[in-house]
């Protein structure tokens, strides 16, 4: 089959490539948020963390010439934001949702402020693996140029799933999330466990943000994020707090985002915005169907404020 | 131990809710001062310029009031449901969908040649209905399906913004709008004009009236009293026979209607048509205003003016001190974070008790 005769096949191939690309930030942010929510806290500020990660990752990669140092720096900035969220939430009478919105505004503002000088320069980008080497069709090769961070996320998903179910740490996080009183009775401090879980969530969101500025679209500007940080919070609920389902949901959400541009390439131009909003609609539908006024969402951590 | 004299109790009731915001404001002034000092600017100069840019002249006052007027309405979208203990953050979506519904109604009415006032009333009704329906949906899902209203209002808001973008670029796009997709503009005669003697449109007056009505409803009527009982303890309210679900739908609907009216004003007084610019973050800032006002409908007014002033001074900071316009966002973020941390402080009247002990 030659490239010219692909015809409508260009759409699924482009969607596959696009889904891998678009899903990577979703995957990282949602795996991080999953751990935070498993500990019984929700961090709505990840949009701010994501944009801070994008800015700082780009800045460090630009200054040092190493994209991986940029990823690390983005993660560390995320840890700082996570620690800030956890610290404020550990005070009495403080609502974790409101703190999230506050940190979202703060993170976006700070990133735009500090990122002003970074709008022009180019930074080294993250490598991609040519997994389409077996094909001579350029579209297939392009679609299977899989970025390195996606592979990291792909490997990390089952590890996290196993660790949450089988390790001591996973057990502690889940126990704190299901009943902080039980955790306290066993001598664990819920505040400290949630601090670590929120820092981890921040780290992952920062890394997810660095993907935006260091791989795709691969530069820093103020319109970089289209709300991936907020969508990822919904995605965790959509995936019912299951890491493997998070991976699938990220691909699905990414595919929905990639469908619009892919259709545009074959001449269908309407409906892009609605396709991008499809994940929100699906999440809402799942919430409506799986909740009830009498019991909580199946699979939700017991201490989580948004499902109480 | 003798009882507190009534006058002191009244004073405490007035001062107590102010303590946390004032402490947060002071902390913000210090932290943002440090922030600009690190950026190599003189904090005193920054604050002097901010005061000048926000309230220094009649011109800057008008700019401040212009920016405050949408915030009055989007803040109600969070503050009204908050009376019932609901945390709604979908004001941006209600604002946007209100603007879209308003332009659709307005263009239809203008096409058949109705008088300007009728067109504007139809636009206001359509905007309020659309915004109200969006947020009322979050209230209904909360009551009948147990879906968390914060998450659902956020999702509904994102969906509403997508619908607006889709409609503006698709079915309602004006073919003449080339690089910025917009709907057809309203005829000039149907636009909302300025309040006589100022360069500020009538939206400001509508916003002030809405805040006043919200206060009257929540603090001076039986309905408002019942709503606040639900906010205090929804189980007790249900035991007392209050129609909790219906009240939730009404109050969330009123909040959404306020934000929808804001969107209608943005379209009919500022933009003249609907385009992607109507999703400019007024909804997000409205959440901040509502929390800063501690969800009190009348306190929204000074807080919105303050935040409008901060926004209005951004341009001056940029011109005189070369501070990026995002400095204003940083300041808002610090203020919001400090305010929430301040919630953890005990009420002022208890401080004294602690000191004297």
């Amino acid at each position: 089959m030659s490239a010219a005769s692909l015809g409508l096949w260009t759409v699924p191939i482009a969607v596959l490539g696009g889904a891998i690309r678009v899903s990577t930030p979703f995957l990282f942010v949602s795996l991080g948020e999953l751990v935070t929510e498993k500990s019984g806290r929700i961090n709505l500020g990840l949009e701010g963390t994501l944009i801070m990660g994008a800015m700082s990752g780009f800045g460090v990669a630009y200054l040092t010439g190493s994209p991986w140092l940029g990823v690390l720096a983005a993660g560390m900035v995320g840890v700082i934001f996570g620690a800030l969220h956890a610290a404020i939430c550990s005070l009495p009478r403080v609502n974790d949702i409101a703190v999230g919105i506050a940190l979202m505004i703060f993170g976006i503002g700070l990133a735009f402020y500090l990122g002003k000088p970074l709008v022009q320069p180019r930074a080294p980008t993250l490598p991609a693996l040519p997994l389409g080497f077996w094909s001579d069709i350029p579209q297939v090769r392009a679609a299977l140029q899989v970025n390195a961070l996606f592979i990291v996320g792909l490997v990390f998903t089952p590890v996290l799933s196993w660790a949450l179910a089988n390790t001591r740490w996973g057990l502690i996080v889940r126990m704190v999330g299901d009943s902080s009183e039980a955790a306290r009775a066993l001598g664990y401090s819920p505040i400290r466990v949630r601090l670590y879980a929120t820092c981890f969530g921040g780290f992952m969101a920062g890394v997810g943000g660095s993907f935006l500025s260091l791989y795709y679209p691969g530069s820093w500007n103020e319109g970089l994020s289209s709300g991936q940080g907020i969508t990822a919070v919904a995605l965790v609920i959509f995936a019912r707090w299951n890491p493997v389902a998070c991976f699938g949901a990220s691909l699905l959400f990414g595919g929905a985002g990639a469908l619009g541009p892919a259709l545009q390439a074959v001449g269908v131009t309407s409906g892009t915005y609605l396709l991008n909003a499809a994940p929100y609609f699906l999440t809402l539908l799942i919430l409506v169907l799986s909740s009830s006024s009498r019991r909580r969402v199946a699979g939700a951590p017991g201490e989580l404020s948004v499902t109480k | 131990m003798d009882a507190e004299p009534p006058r002191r109790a009244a004073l405490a009731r007035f001062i107590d809710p102010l303590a946390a915001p004032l402490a947060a404001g002071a902390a913000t002034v210090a932290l943002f001062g440090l922030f600009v000092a690190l950026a190599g600017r003189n904090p005193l100069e920054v604050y002097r310029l901010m005061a000048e840019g926000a309230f220094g002249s009649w011109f800057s006052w008008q700019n401040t009031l212009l920016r405050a007027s949408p915030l009055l309405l989007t803040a109600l979208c969070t503050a009204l449901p908050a009376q019932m203990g609901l945390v709604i953050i979908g004001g941006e979506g209600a604002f946007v969908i209100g603007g879209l519904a308003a332009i659709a109604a307005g263009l239809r009415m203008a096409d058949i040649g109705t008088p300007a006032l009728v067109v504007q009333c139809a636009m206001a009704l359509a905007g309020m209905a659309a915004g109200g329906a969006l947020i009322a949906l979050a209230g209904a899902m909360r009551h009948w399906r147990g879906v968390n209203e914060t998450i659902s209002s956020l999702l509904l808001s994102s969906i509403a913004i997508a619908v607006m973008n889709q409609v503006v670029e698709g079915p309602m796009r004006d073919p003449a709008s080339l690089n910025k997709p917009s709907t057809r503009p309203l005829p000039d005669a149907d636009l909302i004009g300025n309040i006589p003697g100022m360069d500020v449109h009538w939206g400001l007056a509508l916003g002030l009236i809405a805040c006043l009505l919200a206060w009257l409803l929540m603090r001076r009527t039986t309905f408002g009293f019942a709503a606040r009982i639900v906010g205090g303890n929804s189980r007790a309210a249900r035991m007392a026979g209050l129609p909790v679900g219906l009240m939730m739908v009404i109050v969330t609907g009123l909040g959404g209607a306020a934000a929808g009216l804001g969107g209608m004003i943005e379209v009919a007084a500022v933009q003249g048509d609907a385009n992607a610019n109507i999703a400019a973050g007024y909804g997000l800032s409205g959440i901040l205003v509502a929390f800063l006002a501690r969800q009190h409908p009348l306190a929204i007014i000074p807080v919105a003016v303050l935040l409008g002033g901060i926004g209005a001074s951004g341009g001056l900071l940029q011109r005189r001190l070369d501070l990026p316009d995002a400095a204003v966002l940083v300041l808002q973020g610090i203020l919001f974070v400090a305010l929430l941390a301040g919630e953890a402080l005990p009420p002022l009247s208890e401080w004294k008790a602690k000191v004297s002990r």
Side-chain angles (χ1 to χ4, degrees), chain A residues 264-305:
Chain A
Q264 255 170 7
V266 293
V268 184
T269 52
S270 62
T272 318
Y273 288 103
L274 292 187
L275 278 173
N276 284 335
Y280 306 124
F281 184 76
L282 281 176
T283 307
L284 203 54
L285 199 67
I286 292 258
L287 276 175
V288 170
L289 293 179
S290 65
S291 317
S292 113
S293 48
R294 268 173 224 94
R295 62 182 167 79
R296 42 195 307 115
V297 184
E303 295 270 323
L304 200 59
S305 57

Side-chain angles (χ1 to χ4, degrees), chain A residues 88 92-94 97-99 101-102 106 109-110 112-113 116 230 271 273-274 277 280 284 288-289 291-293 306, chain B residues 35 39 89 141 143 145 148 150 154 156 158 162 165-166 169 323-326 329-330 334 336-337 340 343-345:
Chain A
I88 300 170
R93 290 188 296 276
V94 174
I97 293 171
V99 175
I101 302 164
F106 179 61
L110 194 60
F112 287 2
Y113 181 93
K116 272 281 177 276
I230 287 178
Y273 288 103
L274 292 187
Y280 306 124
L284 203 54
V288 170
L289 293 179
S291 317
S292 113
S293 48
V306 295
Chain B
F35 178 79
I89 56 175
M141 287 194 289
H143 181 72
R145 298 299 309 173
N148 176 266
T150 311
L154 184 65
L156 286 167
S158 303
N165 278 317
Q166 188 71 52
E169 292 203 4
L323 271 178
D325 46 4
L329 268 181
V330 174
I334 295 177
F336 203 165
V337 172
L340 292 168
E343 298 274 323
L345 294 174

Side-chain angles (χ1 to χ4, degrees), chain A residues 63-75:
Chain A
L63 291 174
T64 63
S66 159
W68 290 107
L69 275 180
V71 172
L72 188 68

